[in-house]
């Protein structure tokens, strides 16, 4: 009964490719997030979605686009992958009127 | 803007030693404060939290007190175990529409038997 799940766990790809990472939560939460963790373990918010509306969009390249087909899913699409995109990407979810976020296991993206 | 500063790691301790990981924050309002833990190869798990000044969060023998006067939220444990080896992140958020977490840079803890 995984609360927040991500697929794939590992993703190795070539520069210039387009890839997607999927995230699903079964907690009934209405807000979902994507965070990026760099090689030094630093975590930074990329996007959040509340009720299918983007409410935070940090200064990430427009090659990254979040897509939410429904409240339980927030997928991350990345176009024209670059070496610097190599990182671990974490999905998280939260109920709007609470302050605790629940994280997925992460997707380690390696761009060659 | 808001920010979180943690002590630099790595921290290496012997089993049963006392642990303190310092965390201070800068905030324009009154955020909630969190400690998350990341075990090797895993995602982040909430360890404890505090939502207002003087609140103490505790879990698994870890404690942290929300100190508004010193803008701090230091993590402590009286006797660490090898299984506590992980990266610890201090974070803040405000909930509501601005619910994204602002993290410190993480502190890696290694506990030796």
């Amino acid at each position: 009964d995984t609360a927040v799940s991500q697929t794939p766990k590992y993703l190795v790809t070539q520069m210039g490719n387009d890839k997607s990472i999927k995230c699903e939560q079964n907690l009934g939460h209405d807000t979902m997030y994507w965070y990026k963790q760099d090689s030094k373990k630093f975590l930074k918010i990329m996007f959040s979605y509340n009720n299918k509306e983007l409410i935070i969009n940090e200064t990430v390249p427009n090659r990254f686009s979040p897509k939410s087909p429904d409240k339980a899913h927030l997928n991350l699409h990345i176009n024209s992958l670059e070496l610097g995109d190599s990182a671990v990407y974490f999905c998280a979810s939260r109920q709007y009127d609470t302050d605790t976020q629940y994280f997925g296991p992460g997707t380690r993206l390696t761009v060659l | 803007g808001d920010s979180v500063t943690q002590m630099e790691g790595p921290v290496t301790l012997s089993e049963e030693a006392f642990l303190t990981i310092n965390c201070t924050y800068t905030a324009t309002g009154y955020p909630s404060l969190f400690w998350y833990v990341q075990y090797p190869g895993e995602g982040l798990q909430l360890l404890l939290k505090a939502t207002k000044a003087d609140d103490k969060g505790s879990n698994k023998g870890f404690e942290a007190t929300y100190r508004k006067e010193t803008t701090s939220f230091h993590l402590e444990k009286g006797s660490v175990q090898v299984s506590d080896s992980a990266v610890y992140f201090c974070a803040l958020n405000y909930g509501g529409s601005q619910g994204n977490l602002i993290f410190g840079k993480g502190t890696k803890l290694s506990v030796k038997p």
Side-chain angles (χ1 to χ4, degrees):
Chain A
D1 288 352
T2 304
V4 182
S5 60
Q6 295 179 228
T7 54
K9 188 171 175 64
Y10 300 97
L11 182 54
V12 180
T13 188
Q14 300 288 329
M15 280 177 56
N17 285 350
D18 303 336
K19 291 294 179 183
S20 295
I21 306 172
K22 295 185 176 181
C23 177
E24 176 181 3
Q25 54 94 3
N26 62 8
L27 297 167
H29 291 167
D30 55 15
T31 305
M32 296 182 70
Y33 303 84
W34 278 104
Y35 290 86
K36 179 181 180 180
Q37 185 176 46
D38 63 23
S39 59
K40 296 183 178 179
K41 298 288 189 181
F42 186 55
L43 280 152
K44 189 172 181 181
I45 182 72
M46 298 180 72
F47 301 104
S48 72
Y49 257 75
N50 176 268
N51 289 327
K52 300 179 68 173
E53 292 184 22
L54 181 66
I55 59 172
I56 300 173
N57 187 351
E58 295 293 318
T59 54
V60 298
N62 58 13
R63 299 181 294 103
F64 291 79
S65 56
K67 292 201 169 41
S68 181
D70 55 56
K71 199 170 80 166
H73 296 84
L74 182 64
N75 303 324
L76 183 65
H77 298 272
I78 316 170
N79 295 323
S80 302
L81 279 156
E82 300 178 358
L83 292 176
D85 298 332
S86 295
V88 181
Y89 293 84
F90 287 101
C91 177
S93 73
R94 177 182 71 93
Q95 185 59 26
Y96 183 84
D97 56 353
T98 68
D99 56 13
T100 300
Q101 294 185 23
Y102 295 86
F103 283 78
T107 296
R108 180 175 294 277
L109 171 64
T110 302
V111 182
L112 303 175
Chain B
D2 297 348
S3 64
V4 175
T5 302
Q6 289 180 237
M7 61 186 288
E8 294 282 334
V11 174
T12 302
L13 296 173
S14 298
E15 208 165 20
E16 300 184 0
F18 184 84
L19 169 71
T20 299
I21 300 178
N22 290 337
C23 171
T24 57
Y25 66 91
T26 302
T28 53
Y30 301 98
S32 296
L33 301 176
F34 303 80
W35 278 100
Y36 278 83
V37 58
Q38 185 178 24
Y39 297 103
E42 298 185 13
L44 279 80
Q45 302 175 25
L46 177 65
L47 182 59
L48 54 84
K49 70 175 187 179
T51 57
K52 62 183 186 296
D54 300 325
D55 273 1
K56 176 186 282 188
S58 61
N59 185 27
K60 299 181 180 180
F62 291 89
E63 293 183 341
T65 301
Y66 191 142
R67 301 285 188 199
K68 184 181 172 185
E69 63 277 12
T70 54
T71 62
S72 65
F73 192 56
H74 304 322
L75 182 68
E76 296 183 337
K77 186 175 185 181
S79 177
V80 294
Q81 305 300 312
V82 172
S83 57
D84 293 327
S85 298
V87 181
Y88 293 81
F89 293 91
C90 186
L92 66 83
N93 79 6
Y94 292 97
S97 62
Q98 298 179 7
N100 61 296
L101 286 160
I102 298 171
F103 285 95
K105 292 189 176 182
T107 302
K108 182 176 182 179
L109 170 67
S110 295
V111 181
K112 306 299 183 185

